[in-house]
């Protein structure tokens, strides 16, 4: 059966990358259920030659993924600081005050909107994971426990009015019905309102071998070319872009209504598009070549771990991020190679990673077991993590960084 593009409905042809059948990356397993088999789903990546959108074709009901979620933004100090700086910037840039209205889509545990509440700026969060929406509400943040859709945006407009600023950081790729999501934003946005989005950048993913950032929650992998196509078709315009270091390389895009003549497009938007064209991001060969780089990382990492185990070394992990589970399962790494991993998030502690069945413990386990090597699975936070657990050096412990090129530090 043909696979069709989720945006333009063109035939996608064959995948350029197959990361095998994998479990949902945040379906952590209770220890008492360790004998139960994981539900596996294809993790194949396609390039649409028509609209240039890179995407997964296999679709899983979002409620299966997000209704009870384990990711909490507040457990990364780096991310908290990132959110604080962003909030301060947009409050000043757009002169937000107690007469403004801010909406964050996928507000998680309220880590970002807290900064607006402290300034008495009216805001609401939208968070489909009930358990996490409750955490946000406990912080005094009005939170709607639902998925963002055009229908929900119409309800918000009726009850609260239109928004001066809509924030959707690291959620646009999570919305399988990207047209409905975009219609919803357009409907909710004031005539001169601003929509900011942050997305991991496809160019960084390709250039730095970040294949582990591909998992079932992320339906899309964006270039500026593909984002520009989506916005144009919805009478919206990208008017400015910032390159960020977060998630191994991301973009922050500023978007408004196409007929908002008070805001002109920055030349940097055209530069991004031209650079992507020059570097082949409109051609399938760019993506098929990526497949070879992915397999090189898999071979090098597994060879390294097997060699260390053969020498009698003990290996643990740090973190239990979604990207880590893609990496481990694609590379067939399990608890025979990595004895355990640790994570600060209590929702993940004392569980097993999906697929690999590696146990997850609190950080204290590192001091108890004193592993020879710690592989940092959230490699995008390696500086923060290496400083946090620098105590492993007291027993001669070393770090393994898996991406973009496996290395020991």
């Amino acid at each position: 059966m043909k696979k069709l593009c989720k945006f333009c409905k063109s035939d996608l042809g064959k995948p350029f990358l197959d990361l095998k059948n994998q479990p949902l990356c945040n379906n952590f397993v209770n220890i008492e259920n360790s004998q139960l088999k994981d539900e596996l789903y294809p993790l194949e990546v396609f390039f649409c030659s028509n609209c240039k959108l890179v995407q997964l074709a296999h679709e899983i009901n979002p409620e299966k993924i997000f209704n009870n979620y384990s990711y909490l933004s507040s457990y990364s100090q780096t991310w908290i600081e990132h959110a604080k700086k962003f909030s301060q910037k947009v409050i000043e840039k757009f002169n937000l005050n107690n007469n403004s209205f801010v909406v964050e889509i996928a507000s998680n545990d309220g880590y970002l909107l807290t900064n607006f509440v402290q300034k008495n700026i009216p805001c609401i969060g939208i968070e489909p994971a009930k358990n996490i929406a409750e955490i946000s509400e406990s912080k005094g943040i009005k939170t709607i426990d639902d998925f963002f859709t055009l229908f929900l945006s119409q309800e918000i407009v009726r009850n609260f009015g239109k928004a001066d600023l809509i924030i959707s950081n690291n959620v646009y790729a999570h919305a399988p019905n990207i047209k409905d999501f975009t219609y919803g934003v357009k409907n909710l946005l004031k005539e001169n309102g601003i929509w900011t989005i942050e997305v991991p950048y496809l160019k960084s993913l390709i250039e730095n071998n970040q294949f582990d950032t591909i998992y079932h929650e992320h339906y899309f992998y964006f270039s500026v070319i593909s984002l520009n196509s989506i916005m144009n078709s919805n009478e919206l315009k990208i008017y400015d872009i910032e390159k960020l270091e977060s998630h191994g390389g991301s973009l922050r895009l500023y978007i408004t209504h196409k007929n908002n003549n008070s805001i002109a497009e920055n030349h940097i938007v055209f530069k991004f598009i031209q650079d992507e064209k020059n570097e082949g991001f409109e051609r399938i060969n760019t993506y098929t070549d990526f497949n070879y780089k992915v397999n090189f990382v898999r071979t090098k990492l597994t060879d390294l771990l097997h060699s260390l185990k053969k020498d009698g070394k003990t290996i643990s992990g740090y973190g239990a991020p979604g990207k880590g589970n893609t990496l481990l399962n694609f590379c067939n790494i399990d608890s025979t190679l990595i004895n355990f991993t640790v994570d600060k998030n209590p929702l993940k502690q004392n569980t097993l990673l999906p697929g690999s069945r590696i146990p997850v413990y609190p950080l204290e386990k590192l001091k108890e077991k004193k592993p020879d090597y710690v592989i940092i699975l959230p490699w995008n936070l390696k500086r923060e993590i290496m400083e946090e657990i620098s105590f492993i050096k007291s027993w001669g412990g070393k770090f393994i960084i898996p991406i973009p090129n496996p290395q020991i530090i």
Side-chain angles (χ1 to χ4, degrees), residues 278-324:
N278 293 342
E279 294 173 38
F281 283 86
E282 288 186 308
R283 299 193 299 270
I284 186 61
N285 289 352
T286 300
Y287 303 99
T288 52
D289 290 347
F290 177 59
N291 190 55
Y292 299 107
K293 295 166 70 175
V294 169
N295 284 295
F296 169 78
V297 172
R298 176 171 64 173
T299 300
K300 187 169 181 180
L301 180 61
T302 53
D303 285 352
L304 172 61
L305 297 182
H306 281 289
S307 176
L308 293 174
K309 292 296 281 191
K310 187 176 179 181
D311 291 341
K313 304 300 182 182
T314 55
I315 308 167
S316 79
Y318 181 104
K323 62 168 66 71

Side-chain angles (χ1 to χ4, degrees), residues 3 15 17-24 39-46 56-60 214-216:
K3 305 288 188 183
L17 180 64
D18 185 356
L19 295 174
K20 305 190 299 186
N21 290 346
Q22 295 215 19
L24 300 180
E39 290 184 51
L40 303 178
Y41 305 91
L43 194 54
E44 299 173 323
V45 194
F46 296 78
L56 305 184
H58 192 85
E59 187 173 318
I60 301 165
I214 297 168
Y215 40 90
H216 298 104

